[in-house]
Amino acid sequence: MEFYFPTELGEQLAFCSAAFTALAGFIMMFAPGQAFRLLGLQVQEGRREGFGEGRSMGGFYLGFGLSAILLAQDWIYMALGASFAMAAFARIISILSDKGSNLVNYLLLVVQIALAALPLLYVFGFIQT
């Protein structure tokens, strides 16, 4: 079995979104303390369960990203894009409702929009070649 790297630009962009997702998941899974620090989160003193949640979330991201890379199917890319689109929508709700209007939230919103757009633009045929 060979490693498949897409030849079309649109699929390469969707592949990059999946690869970034897998990389972020890997970091969250194996270095949750660093990931929490980057996101401005912290585990409560004496309660280490937060690391388990961070690792679990990282495992999900890693599994989803690797599935998209290995299967390289339109439906998987659509699911990846739709998931990030919903995450971006949830972040917008948080910015508006939770008084979370800060630089980190806006930067992460831009990242989530980009990670949603790349696979969705490919799947819906807006990026070809």
Side-chain angles (χ1 to χ4, degrees), residues 3 17 19 31 37 51 62 67-68 73 78 90 92 96 118 129:
F3 178 74
S17 178
R37 239 184 315 282
F51 286 119
L62 179 60
S67 295
Q73 299 292 314
M78 185 182 299
I92 290 170
L96 297 174
L118 293 176
T129 334

Side-chain angles (χ1 to χ4, degrees), residues 98-112:
D98 304 330
K99 297 180 180 147
S101 184
N102 59 38
L103 182 62
V104 172
N105 262 340
Y106 286 116
L107 289 174
L108 289 172
L109 176 62
V110 169
V111 168
Q112 287 176 329

Side-chain angles (χ1 to χ4, degrees), residues 30-53:
F30 292 106
Q34 297 291 349
F36 284 172
R37 239 184 315 282
L38 180 68
L39 296 172
L41 303 172
Q42 62 183 0
V43 176
Q44 187 177 2
E45 189 68 32
R47 308 263 335 236
R48 310 284 290 172
E49 297 88 3
F51 286 119
E53 187 61 33

Side-chain angles (χ1 to χ4, degrees), residues 23-33 35 39 51 54-55 57-59 61:
L23 177 65
F26 182 84
I27 292 169
M28 285 191 296
M29 189 167 152
F30 292 106
L39 296 172
F51 286 119
R55 288 184 196 278
M57 185 173 53
Y61 275 45

